Short mmCIF file of all heavy atoms in Angstrom, two decimals:
data_model
loop_
_atom_site.label_atom_id
_atom_site.label_comp_id
_atom_site.label_asym_id
_atom_site.label_seq_id
_atom_site.Cartn_x
_atom_site.Cartn_y
_atom_site.Cartn_z
N ILE T 1 0.86 -1.17 0.00
CA ILE T 1 0.00 0.00 0.00
C ILE T 1 0.90 1.22 0.00
O ILE T 1 1.79 1.35 0.84
CB ILE T 1 -0.96 0.02 1.21
CG1 ILE T 1 -1.96 -1.13 1.09
CG2 ILE T 1 -1.68 1.37 1.31
CD1 ILE T 1 -2.95 -1.23 2.24
N GLY T 2 0.69 2.10 -0.95
CA GLY T 2 1.52 3.29 -1.04
C GLY T 2 1.07 4.20 -2.16
O GLY T 2 -0.09 4.16 -2.58
N VAL T 3 2.00 4.99 -2.65
CA VAL T 3 1.73 5.93 -3.74
C VAL T 3 2.81 5.75 -4.81
O VAL T 3 3.96 5.44 -4.51
CB VAL T 3 1.70 7.39 -3.26
CG1 VAL T 3 0.49 7.63 -2.36
CG2 VAL T 3 2.96 7.76 -2.51
N ALA T 4 2.41 5.95 -6.05
CA ALA T 4 3.33 5.89 -7.17
C ALA T 4 3.59 7.31 -7.64
O ALA T 4 2.66 8.04 -7.99
CB ALA T 4 2.74 5.04 -8.30
N PHE T 5 4.84 7.72 -7.62
CA PHE T 5 5.24 9.07 -7.98
C PHE T 5 5.61 9.13 -9.47
O PHE T 5 6.52 8.42 -9.90
CB PHE T 5 6.43 9.52 -7.13
CG PHE T 5 6.11 9.67 -5.67
CD1 PHE T 5 6.28 8.63 -4.79
CD2 PHE T 5 5.59 10.87 -5.19
CE1 PHE T 5 5.98 8.77 -3.44
CE2 PHE T 5 5.29 11.02 -3.85
CZ PHE T 5 5.48 9.97 -2.98
N ARG T 6 4.95 9.99 -10.22
CA ARG T 6 5.18 10.11 -11.66
C ARG T 6 6.54 10.70 -12.00
O ARG T 6 7.16 10.30 -12.97
CB ARG T 6 4.12 11.02 -12.29
CG ARG T 6 2.75 10.45 -12.37
CD ARG T 6 1.87 11.46 -13.09
NE ARG T 6 0.47 11.18 -12.98
CZ ARG T 6 -0.24 10.56 -13.91
NH1 ARG T 6 0.34 10.15 -15.01
NH2 ARG T 6 -1.52 10.36 -13.73
N ASP T 7 6.99 11.70 -11.26
CA ASP T 7 8.14 12.51 -11.64
C ASP T 7 9.46 11.83 -11.27
O ASP T 7 9.82 11.74 -10.09
CB ASP T 7 8.07 13.87 -10.97
CG ASP T 7 9.19 14.81 -11.36
OD1 ASP T 7 10.04 14.42 -12.19
OD2 ASP T 7 9.22 15.94 -10.84
N PRO T 8 10.24 11.37 -12.25
CA PRO T 8 11.52 10.70 -11.96
C PRO T 8 12.52 11.60 -11.25
O PRO T 8 13.43 11.11 -10.59
CB PRO T 8 12.05 10.31 -13.35
CG PRO T 8 10.89 10.38 -14.26
CD PRO T 8 9.94 11.37 -13.69
N GLN T 9 12.37 12.91 -11.34
CA GLN T 9 13.27 13.81 -10.64
C GLN T 9 13.03 13.77 -9.13
O GLN T 9 13.89 14.15 -8.35
CB GLN T 9 13.16 15.23 -11.18
CG GLN T 9 13.69 15.32 -12.59
CD GLN T 9 13.71 16.74 -13.11
OE1 GLN T 9 13.29 17.68 -12.44
NE2 GLN T 9 14.21 16.89 -14.32
N ARG T 10 11.88 13.32 -8.72
CA ARG T 10 11.55 13.19 -7.29
C ARG T 10 12.05 11.87 -6.71
O ARG T 10 12.20 11.72 -5.51
CB ARG T 10 10.03 13.32 -7.12
CG ARG T 10 9.56 13.34 -5.71
CD ARG T 10 8.05 13.45 -5.62
NE ARG T 10 7.55 14.76 -5.99
CZ ARG T 10 7.47 15.79 -5.16
NH1 ARG T 10 7.83 15.67 -3.91
NH2 ARG T 10 7.00 16.95 -5.56
N TRP T 11 12.29 10.88 -7.56
CA TRP T 11 12.67 9.54 -7.11
C TRP T 11 14.01 9.58 -6.39
O TRP T 11 14.94 10.24 -6.82
CB TRP T 11 12.72 8.58 -8.27
CG TRP T 11 11.42 8.42 -9.03
CD1 TRP T 11 10.20 8.91 -8.66
CD2 TRP T 11 11.24 7.76 -10.27
NE1 TRP T 11 9.26 8.58 -9.61
CE2 TRP T 11 9.87 7.88 -10.61
CE3 TRP T 11 12.09 7.10 -11.14
CZ2 TRP T 11 9.34 7.34 -11.77
CZ3 TRP T 11 11.56 6.56 -12.30
CH2 TRP T 11 10.20 6.67 -12.61
N PRO T 12 14.14 8.85 -5.28
CA PRO T 12 15.35 8.91 -4.44
C PRO T 12 16.46 7.95 -4.90
O PRO T 12 16.71 6.93 -4.27
CB PRO T 12 14.83 8.53 -3.06
CG PRO T 12 13.71 7.56 -3.37
CD PRO T 12 13.08 8.08 -4.64
N TYR T 13 17.15 8.31 -5.95
CA TYR T 13 18.23 7.46 -6.47
C TYR T 13 19.33 7.25 -5.44
O TYR T 13 20.05 6.27 -5.47
CB TYR T 13 18.83 8.07 -7.74
CG TYR T 13 17.79 8.27 -8.82
CD1 TYR T 13 17.29 9.54 -9.10
CD2 TYR T 13 17.29 7.20 -9.54
CE1 TYR T 13 16.33 9.72 -10.08
CE2 TYR T 13 16.33 7.37 -10.52
CZ TYR T 13 15.85 8.64 -10.78
OH TYR T 13 14.90 8.82 -11.74
N ASP T 14 19.48 8.21 -4.53
CA ASP T 14 20.52 8.13 -3.51
C ASP T 14 20.04 7.44 -2.24
O ASP T 14 20.73 7.41 -1.24
CB ASP T 14 21.01 9.54 -3.16
CG ASP T 14 19.92 10.43 -2.60
OD1 ASP T 14 18.72 10.08 -2.71
OD2 ASP T 14 20.24 11.50 -2.06
N GLY T 15 18.83 6.89 -2.24
CA GLY T 15 18.27 6.22 -1.06
C GLY T 15 17.49 7.18 -0.21
O GLY T 15 17.26 8.32 -0.57
N GLY T 16 17.05 6.71 0.95
CA GLY T 16 16.37 7.59 1.90
C GLY T 16 14.87 7.68 1.74
O GLY T 16 14.18 7.98 2.68
N GLY T 17 14.35 7.43 0.59
CA GLY T 17 12.92 7.47 0.38
C GLY T 17 12.35 8.88 0.28
O GLY T 17 12.98 9.84 0.69
N ILE T 18 11.16 8.96 -0.27
CA ILE T 18 10.45 10.24 -0.35
C ILE T 18 9.69 10.49 0.93
O ILE T 18 9.71 11.59 1.48
CB ILE T 18 9.52 10.25 -1.57
CG1 ILE T 18 10.32 10.14 -2.86
CG2 ILE T 18 8.64 11.51 -1.57
CD1 ILE T 18 9.49 9.92 -4.11
N LEU T 19 9.02 9.48 1.44
CA LEU T 19 8.22 9.62 2.65
C LEU T 19 9.04 9.44 3.92
O LEU T 19 8.69 9.98 4.97
CB LEU T 19 7.07 8.61 2.63
CG LEU T 19 6.10 8.72 1.46
CD1 LEU T 19 5.07 7.61 1.51
CD2 LEU T 19 5.44 10.08 1.42
N GLN T 20 10.11 8.69 3.85
CA GLN T 20 10.90 8.37 5.04
C GLN T 20 12.01 9.38 5.33
O GLN T 20 12.47 9.49 6.45
CB GLN T 20 11.50 6.98 4.92
CG GLN T 20 10.47 5.88 4.83
CD GLN T 20 9.60 5.79 6.07
OE1 GLN T 20 10.06 5.98 7.18
NE2 GLN T 20 8.33 5.50 5.87
N ASP T 21 12.45 10.10 4.32
CA ASP T 21 13.52 11.08 4.47
C ASP T 21 12.90 12.43 4.85
O ASP T 21 12.14 13.00 4.06
CB ASP T 21 14.30 11.20 3.17
CG ASP T 21 15.44 12.21 3.24
OD1 ASP T 21 15.45 13.08 4.13
OD2 ASP T 21 16.33 12.13 2.37
N PRO T 22 13.19 12.96 6.04
CA PRO T 22 12.56 14.22 6.48
C PRO T 22 12.77 15.38 5.51
O PRO T 22 11.86 16.20 5.33
CB PRO T 22 13.23 14.51 7.82
CG PRO T 22 13.71 13.19 8.30
CD PRO T 22 14.05 12.39 7.07
N ASP T 23 13.92 15.47 4.86
CA ASP T 23 14.16 16.57 3.92
C ASP T 23 13.22 16.48 2.71
O ASP T 23 12.84 17.50 2.15
CB ASP T 23 15.61 16.57 3.43
CG ASP T 23 16.58 16.99 4.53
OD1 ASP T 23 16.17 17.69 5.48
OD2 ASP T 23 17.76 16.58 4.45
N ARG T 24 12.86 15.26 2.33
CA ARG T 24 11.95 15.10 1.19
C ARG T 24 10.49 15.12 1.63
O ARG T 24 9.62 15.58 0.89
CB ARG T 24 12.25 13.78 0.48
CG ARG T 24 13.57 13.77 -0.26
CD ARG T 24 13.74 12.45 -1.01
NE ARG T 24 14.96 12.45 -1.78
CZ ARG T 24 15.99 11.66 -1.56
NH1 ARG T 24 15.97 10.79 -0.59
NH2 ARG T 24 17.07 11.73 -2.33
N SER T 25 10.21 14.58 2.79
CA SER T 25 8.80 14.48 3.22
C SER T 25 8.25 15.78 3.79
O SER T 25 7.05 16.04 3.69
CB SER T 25 8.62 13.34 4.22
OG SER T 25 9.31 13.61 5.43
N TYR T 26 9.11 16.60 4.39
CA TYR T 26 8.63 17.84 5.02
C TYR T 26 7.80 18.71 4.06
O TYR T 26 6.67 19.06 4.37
CB TYR T 26 9.81 18.63 5.60
CG TYR T 26 9.44 19.99 6.11
CD1 TYR T 26 8.78 20.14 7.33
CD2 TYR T 26 9.71 21.13 5.36
CE1 TYR T 26 8.41 21.40 7.79
CE2 TYR T 26 9.35 22.39 5.82
CZ TYR T 26 8.71 22.53 7.03
OH TYR T 26 8.34 23.76 7.48
N PRO T 27 8.33 19.06 2.87
CA PRO T 27 7.52 19.90 1.99
C PRO T 27 6.23 19.21 1.53
O PRO T 27 5.19 19.85 1.38
CB PRO T 27 8.42 20.20 0.80
CG PRO T 27 9.69 19.48 1.00
CD PRO T 27 9.65 18.80 2.32
N LEU T 28 6.28 17.92 1.33
CA LEU T 28 5.12 17.16 0.91
C LEU T 28 4.04 17.19 2.00
O LEU T 28 2.86 17.41 1.71
CB LEU T 28 5.55 15.74 0.60
CG LEU T 28 4.51 14.79 0.07
CD1 LEU T 28 5.17 13.82 -0.90
CD2 LEU T 28 3.86 14.03 1.19
N LEU T 29 4.44 16.96 3.25
CA LEU T 29 3.47 16.96 4.35
C LEU T 29 2.97 18.36 4.65
O LEU T 29 1.78 18.55 4.92
CB LEU T 29 4.10 16.34 5.59
CG LEU T 29 4.52 14.88 5.47
CD1 LEU T 29 5.19 14.41 6.76
CD2 LEU T 29 3.35 13.99 5.11
N LYS T 30 3.84 19.33 4.59
CA LYS T 30 3.46 20.71 4.92
C LYS T 30 2.55 21.31 3.85
O LYS T 30 1.52 21.88 4.15
CB LYS T 30 4.70 21.57 5.10
CG LYS T 30 4.39 22.97 5.60
CD LYS T 30 5.67 23.71 5.92
CE LYS T 30 5.40 25.07 6.49
NZ LYS T 30 4.59 25.94 5.66
N ASP T 31 2.95 21.18 2.58
CA ASP T 31 2.26 21.87 1.49
C ASP T 31 1.36 20.97 0.65
O ASP T 31 0.59 21.46 -0.16
CB ASP T 31 3.28 22.54 0.57
CG ASP T 31 4.17 23.52 1.33
OD1 ASP T 31 3.66 24.19 2.26
OD2 ASP T 31 5.37 23.60 1.00
N GLY T 32 1.49 19.67 0.80
CA GLY T 32 0.72 18.75 -0.03
C GLY T 32 1.40 18.51 -1.36
O GLY T 32 2.53 18.94 -1.59
N LEU T 33 0.70 17.84 -2.21
CA LEU T 33 1.25 17.43 -3.49
C LEU T 33 0.12 17.46 -4.50
O LEU T 33 -0.96 16.93 -4.24
CB LEU T 33 1.82 16.02 -3.36
CG LEU T 33 2.63 15.45 -4.49
CD1 LEU T 33 3.94 16.24 -4.66
CD2 LEU T 33 2.98 14.00 -4.20
N PRO T 34 0.32 18.08 -5.66
CA PRO T 34 -0.74 18.06 -6.68
C PRO T 34 -1.10 16.63 -7.04
O PRO T 34 -0.22 15.77 -7.20
CB PRO T 34 -0.12 18.79 -7.86
CG PRO T 34 1.05 19.54 -7.32
CD PRO T 34 1.51 18.79 -6.10
N GLU T 35 -2.37 16.37 -7.18
CA GLU T 35 -2.85 15.02 -7.48
C GLU T 35 -2.20 14.46 -8.74
O GLU T 35 -1.91 13.27 -8.82
CB GLU T 35 -4.38 15.03 -7.64
CG GLU T 35 -5.01 13.66 -7.64
CD GLU T 35 -4.92 12.94 -6.31
OE1 GLU T 35 -5.03 13.58 -5.26
OE2 GLU T 35 -4.74 11.70 -6.33
N GLU T 36 -1.92 15.32 -9.72
CA GLU T 36 -1.31 14.83 -10.97
C GLU T 36 0.12 14.37 -10.78
O GLU T 36 0.71 13.77 -11.67
CB GLU T 36 -1.40 15.88 -12.08
CG GLU T 36 -0.66 17.17 -11.81
CD GLU T 36 -1.49 18.23 -11.07
OE1 GLU T 36 -2.60 17.94 -10.60
OE2 GLU T 36 -0.99 19.34 -10.94
N SER T 37 0.72 14.60 -9.61
CA SER T 37 2.07 14.13 -9.31
C SER T 37 2.09 12.62 -9.04
O SER T 37 3.13 12.00 -9.05
CB SER T 37 2.63 14.83 -8.09
OG SER T 37 2.75 16.20 -8.34
N LEU T 38 0.90 12.08 -8.76
CA LEU T 38 0.80 10.66 -8.42
C LEU T 38 0.13 9.89 -9.54
O LEU T 38 -0.80 10.38 -10.18
CB LEU T 38 -0.02 10.49 -7.13
CG LEU T 38 0.53 11.23 -5.91
CD1 LEU T 38 -0.44 11.09 -4.74
CD2 LEU T 38 1.91 10.74 -5.56
N LEU T 39 0.58 8.69 -9.79
CA LEU T 39 -0.01 7.82 -10.78
C LEU T 39 -1.21 7.11 -10.12
O LEU T 39 -1.05 6.48 -9.08
CB LEU T 39 1.02 6.79 -11.25
CG LEU T 39 0.59 5.82 -12.32
CD1 LEU T 39 0.41 6.57 -13.65
CD2 LEU T 39 1.59 4.70 -12.48
N PRO T 40 -2.40 7.22 -10.71
CA PRO T 40 -3.58 6.61 -10.08
C PRO T 40 -3.71 5.11 -10.35
O PRO T 40 -4.81 4.59 -10.48
CB PRO T 40 -4.74 7.40 -10.68
CG PRO T 40 -4.25 7.79 -12.03
CD PRO T 40 -2.76 8.01 -11.89
#
């Protein structure tokens, strides 16, 4: 269960995750994410 992120520039090639890495998750949790950023 999760989310599929469309934008390859957001993908964590260096590890850490998008949701698990505070530097990546903070803006997402604070400001949200446009629905079109996620693959339905």
Side-chain angles (χ1 to χ4, degrees):
I1 294 179
V3 292
F5 294 93
R6 288 183 194 262
D7 183 1
Q9 292 185 357
R10 185 180 289 274
W11 300 350
Y13 302 104
D14 61 347
I18 296 171
L19 301 176
Q20 297 298 322
D21 180 342
D23 290 335
R24 291 184 177 115
S25 65
Y26 173 77
L28 183 146
L29 297 177
K30 187 173 183 304
D31 302 324
L33 189 65
E35 193 68 36
E36 62 271 9
S37 298
L38 303 175
L39 182 70

